[in-house]
Amino acid sequence: MTHWFEGPLAAFDTETTGVDVEQDRIVSAALVAQDTAGGRVRVTRWLVSPGVPVPPGATDVHGLTDDHLRRNGRWPAPVMHEMARALAESCASGRPLVVMNAPFDLTMLDRELRRHRASSLARYLDGTPMRVVDPRVLDKHLDRYRKGRRTLTDLCARYEVVLDGAHDAAADATASLELVRAVCRRFSTRLERLSPAELHTLQATWHAAQARGLEAWFAKSGTPETVDPSWPLRPELPAAA
């Protein structure tokens, strides 16, 4: 029997002006799709002129400068519409959606839709369920006692997945997709009987537990910090009174 993680998958990734999902902006993104393990990967890319300066620290990460984005990027409103529609169509097809550190990328897209389209990711999905697979959450749950960082680069090295051109949205999305296949193969005895929908629900529980554990670690180390337990999308912040 062929397991779902050997079949059709899609993966989404963004590059941004920073790491604040409420304030920062998307500058590039990619959605990749693959029908079967080892098959051809189809890539859709977007480049955005965000309308705000790109900090030098962000450019150091992804290489995208203000000048390049002004010359080659598109205005955010139509791009965000295209991204959200593409994700919704992919989800409607039944493909599990791979997103490394999903609460970051999916929340970034949701906030950009609110900012530029007066809409939300949920509105584009229109009741279509997302079956998100987050390799970071999977690895932290399935190999929870392993020490060390769990960035995309670290996990690709751990699971022997090729990552060519890290911090390019298409390269990161493709590597994340292959990483999910590799993680699920390694832990197949624990995952093979779960459907993508069941795994989605479990990951929400696992991520919440991971957030509580990280908060406890921060408190113990003397640097208290709140860690959002929401997954795969953070709730909208209440409007200021």
Side-chain angles (χ1 to χ4, degrees):
M1 182 181 75
T2 300
H3 302 303
W4 64 263
F5 49 81
E6 302 290 0
L9 292 177
F12 179 67
D13 186 77
T14 66
E15 298 299 329
T16 65
T17 60
V19 296
D20 185 338
V21 295
E22 304 298 339
Q23 300 297 328
D24 281 305
R25 310 298 175 88
I26 294 173
V27 295
S28 70
L31 178 68
V32 306
Q34 188 180 45
D35 292 333
T36 187
R40 182 174 66 90
V41 175
R42 300 184 300 281
V43 181
T44 304
R45 302 172 185 264
W46 295 274
L47 192 66
V48 187
S49 180
V52 300
V54 180
T59 297
D60 289 344
V61 172
H62 49 57
L64 297 171
T65 64
D66 283 327
D67 182 65
H68 179 77
L69 293 171
R70 280 195 299 267
R71 290 173 180 271
N72 301 285
R74 296 164 57 206
W75 187 244
V79 181
M80 300 310 153
H81 168 72
E82 290 176 13
M83 284 185 206
R85 186 175 62 183
L87 258 65
E89 290 173 354
S90 182
C91 290
S93 75
R95 289 177 185 271
L97 179 64
V98 174
V99 191
M100 174 74 181
N101 192 16
F104 179 79
D105 294 88
L106 295 181
T107 304
M108 284 292 304
L109 176 56
D110 178 78
R111 301 312 191 253
E112 289 278 51
L113 290 168
R114 294 175 188 274
R115 183 178 294 119
H116 296 290
R117 305 290 306 187
S119 188
S120 67
L121 185 54
R123 289 184 187 176
Y124 275 84
L125 291 168
D126 192 27
T128 299
M130 284 195 299
R131 297 179 177 87
V132 177
V133 188
D134 187 334
R136 185 169 182 266
V137 173
L138 289 183
D139 177 73
K140 288 183 73 173
H141 178 78
L142 296 166
D143 199 359
R144 68 181 70 183
Y145 300 114
R146 188 183 80 250
K147 295 182 179 180
R149 303 189 331 150
R150 299 178 194 251
T151 67
L152 179 60
T153 300
D154 297 316
L155 293 184
C156 284
R158 175 74 179 178
Y159 290 91
E160 300 180 342
V161 170
V162 175
L163 173 56
D164 286 329
H167 300 297
D168 169 83
D172 287 357
T174 301
S176 296
L177 187 152
E178 295 296 342
L179 183 58
V180 161
R181 296 199 195 278
V183 172
C184 289
R185 287 169 188 149
R186 184 169 297 187
F187 295 98
S188 61
T189 57
R190 299 169 64 180
L191 297 174
E192 63 188 7
R193 296 187 180 183
L194 295 173
S195 69
E198 291 169 330
L199 186 57
H200 178 104
T201 300
L202 285 170
Q203 286 171 100
T205 301
W206 296 343
H207 180 270
Q210 291 162 9
R212 291 192 298 269
L214 188 55
E215 275 195 355
W217 184 86
F218 282 132
K220 186 177 180 179
S221 64
T223 55
E225 185 174 330
T226 300
V227 182
D228 196 319
S230 304
W231 184 94
L233 181 69
R234 297 179 188 175
E236 184 184 11
L237 291 175

